[in-house]
Amino acid sequence: MSVPSPLDPPNAEVSWVEQAADMAEVFSQRAAELDETAQLPRENLRELHEAGFDAAWLPQRFGGHGLSWVTFGRVLATVARACPSTATIWLMHLGAAYGLVHMSDDDNAAFFAGELARGKRFANALSEPTGGNLFLMPLQVAKPTTGGFMLDGAKRFVSGCEMADYLLVNALVDDAPAFFGITPDDTLKLVPIWDSVGLRATRSQLITFEGTVLPQDRRCTRFTDEPNPIPVGLPFLSIGVAEAALEALRRHASGRVIPTTGQPLGSMQWVQFAAADEYVRLRAATLLAAHTAWLADQRSPLVNPTSLEAKLLANEVAKGVAALGVRVGGGSGYLKSSPIQRHFRDAQAGALMAYSAEVCQSEIGKAVMAVEDPE
Ligand SMILES: Cc1cc2nc3c(=O)[nH]c(=O)nc-3n(C[C@H](O)[C@H](O)[C@H](O)COP(=O)(O)OP(=O)(O)OC[C@H]3O[C@@H](n4cnc5c(N)ncnc54)[C@H](O)[C@@H]3O)c2cc1C
């Protein structure tokens, strides 16, 4: 019996969640090979687009359905449970596209919404090699030039960049961060750095910019109160990984019989105690993520601070469940043929992605202690 939850979608949106679950069944069958070969999950992303998921959370005036963010969290966790690389690229795609729609003037907003509906792909080129976690505070300066601003620099870990038609790029203009929606041209070069431990199919490469013009007429000019999918979604990425890791652990523990007792591993008290702890922490992380999504539905300014709390807990829970999976899995779980080792590798990424677990702790800790940043 399923337990009613604050993450249950409104009745009118249940079919979206059910459809995502059906599609995720197929994604999960493709996940191991995508991880092994580190290829982009193009088929999964195309299927999400064709089923209408790309534009579904845009307001109706931009051709969307204005679905709730609670439903978004549920859908994203479902995709992440099946294939976290697909979920990561999809989240970054929506974050860049929705950001451009909501932060652009009317003409550009309509343009980017139309391109999203046509299946064009978006990626975030925000993190800088020197800037690390503070991806919204660029250090690289774009200098005035004809038609806009010229950028010489680099952005790294750009998930899905090899299939992106548009990039959301930031740089310092007049000493302040400025955002642009650019079409990649031959001044951009992809540097294939992404031979990673986990989330291998995100292919989050380095991009260099040599004399790239960030056009003035593609500059974001608006502040928006509309929630961005990325802060709402990041906790759900880790929740999906944690759910997959718990399921793999449970399957192994119920199938593996310990010869000395003749009983399955899952009947041992240490396994039950540890699984109970992780399960309860996962429930708590899911509720905190649901709270973030609910705040987004209320258009509350508390979305971003709450999302740091939800991300921190979800990141740590994913790592905890996955590490228990390795203990319970023993040598069998350590084999490449086992999903347990893949979940363990994937579970590390959430806490590294901005804002990292430590940056979240730092921000939350300052608020708890009522400490202000020095001038
Ligand atoms: C799988 C994956 C996908 C990604 N996708 C994208 C993408 O699509 N687009 C994009 O722009 N970026 C992306 N990123 C980049 C990511 O969001 C971070 O911005 C980037 O990983 C941080 O830089 P760094 O790894 O060099 O870590 P650093 O920032 O150098 O962090 C190293 C260590 O220092 C700690 N640290 C750093 N700053 C502080 C601080 N102020 N306070 C306390 N501790 C601190 C960190 O917590 C960490 O422990 C992705 C990263 C990953 C892993």
Side-chain angles (χ1 to χ4, degrees):
M1 193 184 78
S2 72
V3 183
S5 144
L7 204 48
D8 287 343
N11 284 343
E13 300 179 9
V14 168
S15 62
W16 290 89
V17 173
E18 289 172 348
Q19 190 177 8
D22 290 345
M23 292 169 69
E25 282 288 325
V26 182
F27 297 172
S28 67
Q29 287 156 25
R30 297 172 181 154
E33 191 183 344
L34 288 167
D35 169 70
E36 178 67 23
T37 57
Q39 292 304 305
L40 287 170
R42 291 176 190 271
E43 216 175 354
N44 297 348
L45 294 163
R46 183 175 44 73
E47 287 167 12
L48 282 166
H49 171 72
E50 288 173 357
F53 282 95
D54 278 356
W57 288 271
L58 278 180
Q60 289 176 345
R61 68 181 186 282
F62 292 120
H65 297 279
L67 296 192
S68 71
W69 293 100
V70 165
T71 296
F72 178 69
R74 185 75 179 263
V75 167
L76 187 70
T78 301
V79 176
R81 188 168 60 226
C83 177
S85 287
T86 300
T88 302
I89 299 178
W90 186 55
L91 176 62
M92 295 299 161
H93 164 64
L94 296 194
Y98 286 31
L100 285 168
V101 169
H102 291 308
M103 296 191 299
S104 295
D105 62 30
D106 289 350
D107 287 349
N108 279 339
F111 171 75
F112 285 124
E115 291 295 86
L116 182 67
R118 272 186 282 281
K120 298 288 185 182
R121 303 222 55 92
F122 295 73
N124 290 289
L126 302 174
S127 296
E128 298 178 353
T130 48
N133 250 271
L134 302 179
F135 68 107
L136 293 177
M137 301 295 289
L139 301 175
Q140 296 168 14
V141 176
K143 298 187 181 130
T145 188
T146 313
F149 303 88
M150 188 179 290
L151 179 62
D152 288 296
K155 299 285 183 176
R156 71 173 179 173
F157 306 140
V158 184
S159 299
C161 56
E162 290 152 314
M163 62 190 302
D165 300 290
Y166 300 103
L167 296 174
L168 176 63
V169 180
N170 60 359
L172 278 182
V173 171
D174 297 331
D175 294 329
F179 291 81
F180 299 82
I182 72 162
T183 309
D185 61 22
D186 57 12
T187 63
L188 273 66
K189 298 271 182 302
L190 291 180
V191 185
I193 57 169
W194 195 253
D195 187 6
S196 60
V197 168
L199 293 192
R200 289 173 52 73
T202 62
R203 299 186 63 83
S204 307
Q205 313 289 16
L206 177 81
I207 302 179
T208 61
F209 298 76
E210 281 181 35
T212 304
V213 177
L214 309 178
Q216 173 63 24
D217 62 8
R218 288 275 191 84
R219 184 172 174 175
C220 296
T221 52
R222 289 190 172 148
F223 291 103
T224 175
D225 293 333
E226 286 293 326
N228 186 279
I230 293 179
V232 180
L234 282 174
F236 289 103
L237 277 185
S238 286
I239 284 166
V241 174
E243 289 175 349
L246 189 59
E247 177 57 18
L249 179 167
R250 199 190 58 75
R251 272 177 199 248
H252 180 78
S254 50
R256 168 80 168 134
V257 175
I258 299 301
T260 47
T261 63
Q263 296 296 314
L265 188 53
S267 65
M268 290 196 157
Q269 196 181 53
W270 76 264
V271 176
Q272 292 176 1
F273 276 23
D277 282 350
E278 297 302 340
Y279 170 78
V280 172
R281 277 162 51 79
L282 176 54
R283 292 255 293 141
T286 306
L287 288 171
L288 195 49
H291 186 211
T292 309
W294 179 84
L295 287 168
D297 283 330
Q298 314 307 310
R299 301 297 184 270
S300 164
L302 294 175
V303 173
N304 286 347
T306 308
S307 79
L308 296 183
E309 299 170 13
K311 180 177 182 294
L312 175 63
L313 184 58
N315 294 163
E316 298 301 336
V317 167
K319 289 200 293 185
V321 178
L324 178 62
V326 173
R327 283 172 64 203
V328 170
S332 325
Y334 204 53
L335 297 175
K336 268 197 160 181
S337 54
S338 168
I340 286 178
Q341 53 76 31
R342 174 161 51 88
H343 300 320
F344 180 78
R345 290 186 284 106
D346 288 338
Q348 310 308 311
L352 304 177
M353 291 167 75
Y355 294 118
S356 68
E358 293 75 17
V359 173
C360 292
Q361 283 172 322
S362 171
E363 291 303 310
I364 297 163
K366 270 188 262 180
V368 172
M369 294 293 130
V371 175
E372 296 197 359
D373 280 324
E375 289 296 316

